[in-house]
């Protein structure tokens, strides 16, 4: 429970209607997609940037921990109030699209805006915001920036960091800072907006985001390549891109995942599929789309594809994507709990990485279905265990640690899109040396010397 003195002070800042410490709110804001629970002492809904500044100034003075929170859809515990204190939630008030600048093709939004809300709004105007995390229907743009969210369109269009032009944010002491500009070029000073992107709320609280927009492509089609093995499919990924293919998405589904989809959903997929590559092609003229599909088909078949299908209608496109979008829940066919990690490697390393990951699964006796964003080297590895068996859980975490070490040794990273949060914090020393971790801590201290902002996340 929050001390009565502090509770009254926060009431003066945000109003009685914007602070809660009842059990229902404490439970609702105690977990994210990890399903791990930590209850806060109170939840505050700031009305504007001035409220955020006053709250942080008060918390800094009284050493009260703050956890900024978007939709709580993260997979690594980044929004969990692991040390109690205050959850700062933005969905109630700070959830507005402030400006769409058609001439300069940019949007200015508050952190509580839902990703898909922005996408729909700008597409009605003929513009396009590409980053599309799987949680796009409910995740907030503030959370997307804090975690540097990816998505299925990253193969062609990149991830959140590629669209952040400027930020407004509040430091732990209440100081309001501006980082970046709404200009295309800006090389004045340090790239503070870049530092705050993917910082998981550990450095400052983001209050306004300026995002780059693109013209909306006029034509699109979906495709599916059927391969006899994962090795064939993984070779096709980097070789087709090197051959000049530029797909919006190139998503991978392995044979274990295909089997799970067919059994759980009754979806009709190729019987002989050792692996699938599915995705979209877009362009401004039909000829551009046709050329890209031809390039993909030729390259896929050169790398062993037994079939290449193109969805001509909206219904056919939806059938192709239905399998991919629902694969995550289907893999529970192999175990009651999945240890889901979003590793990323250079694309040319995908064939070897998958081969070694399956070997680690065999070593521990676990099924390891894999799927994900192969077009940008980001694979979701799912070590499937019996969640009620402590020994299996322990062995599963050992397998994950071996996978992390394998990936880093290949020049890859612990996370392609989910971030570090709490769950991956113990593995930071696999990916970073002592000097690099010391630099992270120095940055943290410079922004937040009293360590009130999301302490413990990223191991900081």
């Amino acid at each position: 429970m929050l001390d009565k003195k502090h509770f009254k002070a926060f009431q003066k800042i945000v109003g009685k209607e914007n602070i809660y410490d009842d059990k229902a709110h404490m439970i609702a804001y105690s977990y994210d997609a990890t399903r791990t629970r930590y209850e806060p002492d109170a939840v505050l809904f700031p009305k504007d940037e001035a409220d955020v500044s006053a709250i942080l100034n008060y918390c800094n003075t009284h050493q009260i921990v703050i956890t900024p929170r978007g939709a709580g859809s993260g997979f690594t515990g980044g929004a969990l109030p692991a040390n109690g204190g205050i959850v700062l939630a933005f969905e109630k008030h700070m959830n507005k699209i402030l400006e769409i600048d058609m001439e300069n093709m940019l949007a200015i939004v508050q952190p509580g805006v839902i990703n898909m809300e922005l996408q729909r709004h700008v597409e009605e105007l003929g513009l396009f915001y590409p980053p599309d995390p799987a949680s796009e229907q409910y995740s907030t743009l503030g959370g997307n920036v804090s975690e540097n969210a990816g998505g299925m369109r990253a193969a062609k269009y990149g991830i959140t960091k590629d669209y952040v032009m400027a930020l407004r944010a509040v430091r732990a002491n209440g100081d309001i800072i501006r980082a970046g500009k709404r200009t295309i070029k800006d090389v004045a000073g340090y790239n503070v907006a870049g530092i705050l992107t993917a910082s998981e709320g550990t450095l400052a609280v983001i209050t306004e985001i300026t995002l780059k927009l693109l013209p909306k492509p006029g034509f699109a089609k979906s495709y599916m390549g059927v391969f006899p093995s994962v090795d064939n499919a993984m070779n096709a990924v980097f070789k087709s891109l090197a051959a000049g293919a530029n797909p919006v998405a190139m998503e991978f589904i392995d044979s274990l995942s295909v089997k799970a989809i067919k059994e759980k959903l009754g979806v009709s997929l190729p019987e002989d599929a050792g692996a699938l590559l599915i995705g979209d092609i877009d362009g401004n003229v039909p000829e551009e789309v046709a050329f890209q599909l031809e390039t993909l088909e030729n390259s896929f078949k050169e790398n062993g594809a037994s079939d290449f299908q193109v969805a001509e209608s909206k219904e056919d496109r939806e059938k192709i994507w239905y399998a991919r979008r629902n694969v995550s829940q289907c893999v529970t066919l192999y175990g009651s709990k999945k240890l889901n990690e979003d590793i990323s490697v250079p694309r040319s390393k995908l064939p070897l990485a998958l081969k070694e990951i399956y070997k680690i699964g065999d070593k521990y006796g676990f099924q390891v279905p894999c799927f994900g964003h192969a077009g940008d080297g980001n694979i979701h590895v799912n070590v499937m265990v019996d969640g009620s068996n402590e020994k299996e859980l322990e062995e599963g975490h050992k397998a994950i640690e071996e996978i992390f070490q394998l990936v880093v040794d290949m020049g890859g990273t612990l996370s392609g899109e989910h971030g570090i949060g709490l769950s991956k914090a113990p593995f930071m020393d696999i990916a970073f040396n002592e000097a690099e971790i010391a630099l992270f801590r120095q940055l943290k201290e410079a922004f937040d010397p009293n360590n009130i902002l999301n302490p413990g996340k990223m191991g900081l």
Side-chain angles (χ1 to χ4, degrees):
M1 289 288 291
L2 195 65
D3 183 281
K4 286 185 179 179
K5 176 185 73 173
H6 299 319
F7 193 90
K8 288 182 179 179
F10 289 130
Q11 278 187 329
K12 288 183 180 179
I13 296 171
V14 298
K16 292 181 179 180
E17 70 279 10
N18 291 310
I19 178 170
Y20 295 88
D21 65 351
D22 59 286
K23 192 63 176 177
H25 278 82
M26 298 308 97
I27 292 173
Y29 288 84
S30 70
Y31 62 91
D32 64 0
T34 65
R35 301 303 172 191
T36 306
R37 280 184 54 183
Y38 295 94
E39 290 190 15
D41 296 317
V43 180
L44 271 64
F45 297 91
K47 300 183 295 298
D48 51 30
E49 185 178 76
D51 278 2
V52 176
S53 176
I55 291 164
L56 265 62
N57 179 274
Y58 185 88
C59 288
N60 194 52
T61 300
H62 295 90
Q63 300 288 286
I64 299 170
V65 170
I66 289 276
T67 303
R69 180 184 172 97
S73 59
F75 280 99
T76 59
L80 295 180
N83 297 280
I86 300 299
V87 162
L88 208 57
F90 296 94
E91 74 267 22
K92 186 176 180 181
H93 299 295
M94 297 182 68
N95 57 4
K96 299 172 185 65
I97 298 173
L98 300 175
E99 180 183 354
I100 303 295
D101 183 339
M102 296 290 291
E103 294 178 333
N104 293 299
M105 290 197 297
L106 59 85
I108 300 177
V109 302
Q110 292 181 316
V113 173
I114 302 299
N115 179 295
M116 181 57 77
E117 180 187 349
L118 178 67
Q119 289 191 50
R120 288 174 178 156
H121 189 83
V122 301
E123 286 183 22
E124 289 173 0
L125 302 173
L127 297 175
F128 182 37
Y129 179 67
D132 63 334
S135 58
E136 63 186 358
Q137 298 281 355
Y138 44 87
S139 67
T140 65
L141 291 166
N144 291 172
V145 172
S146 294
E147 298 290 341
N148 197 14
M152 296 188 190
R153 294 195 285 243
K156 180 175 182 177
Y157 289 109
I159 58 179
T160 300
K161 71 179 177 63
D162 300 307
Y163 295 86
V164 175
M165 298 177 70
L167 299 170
R168 288 180 67 95
V170 182
R171 291 182 58 204
N173 64 359
D175 286 350
I176 297 169
I177 61 173
R178 295 174 298 165
K181 297 288 187 293
R182 57 195 292 165
T183 56
I184 294 171
K185 292 182 176 180
D186 176 20
V187 294
Y190 293 122
N191 183 12
V192 176
I195 293 171
L196 293 180
T197 302
S199 66
E200 302 189 16
T202 62
L203 301 181
V205 176
I206 294 167
T207 54
E208 185 181 285
I209 308 162
T210 301
L211 295 166
K212 178 175 70 173
L213 304 175
L214 301 177
K216 184 182 177 182
F219 301 90
K221 285 190 176 180
S222 297
Y223 65 86
M224 178 168 67
V226 183
F227 293 85
S229 72
V230 168
D231 196 57
N232 288 122
M234 293 300 95
N235 275 289
V237 171
F238 72 92
K239 289 181 179 178
S240 62
L241 296 173
N246 191 21
V248 175
M250 187 181 285
E251 296 291 302
F252 159 64
I253 306 175
D254 73 358
S255 58
L256 286 171
S257 302
V258 169
K259 178 184 176 184
I261 292 166
K262 291 168 74 171
E263 290 199 22
K264 288 269 191 172
L265 300 178
V267 173
S268 176
L269 291 172
E271 292 293 332
D272 59 344
L276 301 176
L277 291 178
I278 66 174
D280 285 339
I281 293 289
D282 69 5
N284 293 313
V285 293
E287 292 80 5
E288 183 180 357
V289 175
F291 170 78
Q292 286 292 324
L293 287 170
E294 182 181 3
T295 303
L296 268 183
E297 181 175 8
N298 291 339
S299 186
F300 279 18
K301 289 185 175 178
E302 286 172 7
N303 288 283
S306 59
D307 192 17
F308 185 83
Q309 303 172 16
V310 177
E312 299 292 344
S313 67
K314 181 181 178 182
E315 291 74 21
D316 288 342
R317 290 186 71 189
E318 288 175 352
K319 286 178 184 177
I320 284 180
W321 280 107
Y322 181 73
R324 171 60 186 92
R325 293 189 185 280
N326 289 281
V327 62
S328 184
Q329 66 260 37
C330 291
V331 297
T332 52
L333 178 72
Y334 302 110
S336 61
K337 184 176 180 62
K338 61 179 177 179
L339 304 179
N340 169 23
E341 301 300 344
D342 62 319
I343 57 92
S344 190
V345 297
R347 288 183 296 224
S348 64
K349 299 288 187 182
L350 282 169
L352 180 59
L354 268 294
K355 189 179 296 182
E356 295 301 317
I357 286 167
Y358 292 132
K359 282 184 183 178
I360 291 171
D362 291 341
K363 172 184 172 181
Y364 287 94
F366 297 132
Q367 298 276 37
V368 186
C370 298
F371 57 87
H373 320 303
D376 53 45
N378 178 203
I379 297 294
H380 295 284
V381 175
N382 302 274
V383 175
M384 305 306 299
V385 301
D386 178 355
S388 64
N389 187 321
E390 287 298 323
K391 184 178 180 182
E392 274 203 20
L393 277 170
E394 184 180 338
E395 293 286 288
H397 287 294
K398 287 180 182 177
I400 290 294
E401 185 168 1
E402 287 193 30
I403 290 168
F404 282 153
Q405 188 65 62
L406 165 73
V407 164
V408 171
D409 289 345
M410 289 184 171
T413 178
L414 303 180
S415 176
E417 56 187 4
H418 292 166
I420 300 299
L422 288 174
S423 64
K424 295 187 184 184
F427 306 108
M428 284 287 279
D429 61 353
I430 292 176
F432 302 99
N433 64 33
E434 290 182 11
E436 291 161 347
I437 291 175
L439 177 60
F440 295 161
R441 289 182 175 141
Q442 288 164 9
L443 281 169
K444 168 70 168 167
E445 186 174 359
F447 276 90
D448 177 23
N450 292 323
N451 196 27
I452 66 162
L453 287 176
N454 223 5
K457 309 302 166 58
M458 302 171 68
L460 302 175

